[in-house]
Amino acid sequence: MDIPTHPSWGDDGMIYWAQGSFIFRAPADGEGEAERVTPEAGWLPGFPSPLPEGRGLLLTVRHWEHASGRKNDRIAVVGPNGGEPKELVKGVAARYASSGHLLYTTWDGTLMGVPFDLETLQTTGSPVPLIGGEPGREAIEVQYSGKGAFDLSRSGTLVYQTGGAPRHLSTVCWDRGDGPQPVDSTWIGRFTDLRTSPDGTRLAAIETKETTQEIWIKPLDGTPGRRIWFTPDVVRGLEWTPDGESVTFLKDTGIREDPGAGPSIPFLKRVDSDEPADRLLPVAGEIRGERILWHPGSEWLVYSAGPEDGSTPAGIWASRYGTDDHPILLVEDTPDHHPVGA
């Protein structure tokens, strides 16, 4: 069974994800069937990133004949109706910036930028290195999947994690157009799940230490940050709620060396409160997948779940936070179709 990965929520009300040789999408309201966005064409797709106003979709294609050569990944785009991707530039995991550019990384950790026209879905200039790209310059941390450790808020704030420091330690930096600046020059560690707040003023991150994982909130104005959560269990899937007042995350109940050994428990933690994190309810069955996905500007959240006791079907579910409404099954996992992995 191919495991779905890299979910993303578009302005067009659709949820997109990669699975096997295809990109899929399904209506977020559960009123339609899941459909393929891309055809079978002999390459592996990944990292779908919807463009604004339903203009189309950015994705990364990895050709089958070069599956062992990571340098052959390409950024591609498809229109709003899907179809054959059109390759744009060499790189991985592109994001669209409101300035009219695509940001993406290469396998050596260079963060690149290239002008992009939303109307024609074409690049309109040459790629330029923004971070890294020269000997001696600190580069972006590149994850095993090939994705660069950076995030871009809707307001235009860029946060990223540098790589190459001893013992895989790194410094988190941000850039608002005047060059990279450390969020905190003394904050050095093993960071994952960098997430900018909806208003672009704060950073949430998971720091892995020898015996614990910690969730930190760091303001981008230079004021001190604060640790809001720590646990000996594995924590992942960090996300801001749309109002910017809380973060959600998954806590795995398996051991640290085998985080998938047990079910994942979803939690919500208010970032300005010393109260414990609350278990995020309602959910259906046992949480699976990488994270819980919030719809921008609403209380709806999407996640994948499998049955704990067989009483509920496995699939992609939607819940409305703060209500007693029953979760809604958007896409069911069947022997012929396996959408689970939000």
Side-chain angles (χ1 to χ4, degrees), residues 2-342:
D2 293 317
I3 299 175
T5 57
H6 316 140
S8 190
W9 205 320
D11 291 344
D12 55 359
M14 305 291 284
I15 301 169
Y16 295 80
W17 69 93
Q19 186 172 359
S21 299
F22 306 99
I23 299 292
F24 289 89
R25 66 183 173 191
D29 59 9
E31 295 297 323
E33 298 292 330
E35 63 177 355
R36 293 176 181 175
V37 178
T38 57
E40 187 168 13
W43 40 256
L44 285 172
F47 308 111
S49 180
L51 292 167
E53 303 173 4
R55 299 293 183 90
L57 182 75
L58 298 170
L59 66 150
T60 302
V61 297
R62 180 170 299 167
H63 295 278
W64 281 99
E65 64 269 29
H66 300 304
S68 61
R70 294 174 170 175
K71 295 181 179 179
N72 293 294
D73 294 340
R74 298 288 194 275
I75 303 299
V77 64
V78 297
N81 297 320
E84 186 73 28
K86 178 175 63 177
E87 295 185 4
L88 300 173
V89 290
K90 186 176 182 179
V92 183
R95 298 284 302 276
Y96 178 77
S98 57
S99 60
H101 295 79
L102 301 185
L103 299 187
Y104 59 94
T105 52
T106 61
W107 273 97
D108 64 0
T110 302
L111 181 68
M112 304 291 294
V114 63
F116 182 75
D117 191 325
L118 267 181
E119 296 293 335
T120 63
L121 301 184
Q122 294 180 345
T123 57
T124 58
S126 300
V128 176
L130 304 177
I131 299 171
E134 296 178 5
R137 290 185 62 182
E138 201 162 27
I140 298 290
E141 177 77 15
V142 176
Q143 302 168 1
Y144 178 77
S145 63
K147 184 180 185 298
F150 76 95
D151 194 24
L152 184 67
S153 75
R154 294 193 173 194
S155 61
T157 298
L158 170 69
V159 295
Y160 60 92
Q161 176 181 346
T162 59
R167 297 181 61 187
H168 305 289
L169 300 181
S170 54
T171 302
V172 177
C173 299
W174 63 287
D175 192 338
R176 282 179 170 161
D178 53 355
Q181 302 290 331
V183 173
D184 182 341
S185 60
T186 65
W187 196 37
I188 300 174
R190 296 172 58 194
F191 303 109
T192 59
D193 289 53
L194 303 179
R195 298 290 184 266
T196 50
S197 61
D199 62 3
T201 63
R202 292 167 294 170
L203 171 70
I206 295 173
E207 182 179 3
T208 299
K209 296 191 173 181
E210 291 296 327
T211 59
T212 62
Q213 283 197 304
E214 304 178 352
I215 297 177
W216 282 80
I217 304 297
K218 283 282 191 178
L220 297 178
D221 61 2
T223 55
R226 63 192 301 261
R227 186 183 70 178
I228 64 169
W229 177 266
F230 70 97
T231 177
D233 297 310
V234 173
V235 176
R236 58 190 176 86
L238 188 64
E239 294 290 338
W240 286 90
T241 55
D243 59 13
E245 296 181 356
S246 306
V247 293
T248 55
F249 57 92
L250 299 176
K251 186 179 79 168
D252 287 345
T253 57
I255 59 176
R256 290 171 65 86
E257 291 78 11
D258 187 13
S264 298
I265 303 173
F267 283 88
L268 181 142
K269 177 70 175 74
R270 292 186 63 87
V271 298
D272 295 325
S273 171
D274 293 326
E275 295 296 320
D278 295 324
R279 184 161 179 169
L280 188 62
L281 295 174
V283 297
E286 175 185 311
I287 294 291
R288 297 190 284 178
E290 299 174 342
R291 57 178 176 152
I292 290 174
L293 193 63
W294 287 87
H295 183 276
S298 79
E299 298 176 339
W300 284 96
L301 52 103
V302 172
Y303 56 93
S304 63
E308 293 176 332
D309 55 9
S311 60
T312 57
I316 296 179
W317 293 78
S319 292
R320 190 174 183 182
Y321 177 69
T323 72
D324 295 327
D325 297 342
H326 292 293
I328 300 171
L329 181 62
L330 300 178
V331 184
E332 184 173 357
D333 189 7
T334 67
D336 297 324
H337 183 59
H338 306 285
V340 179

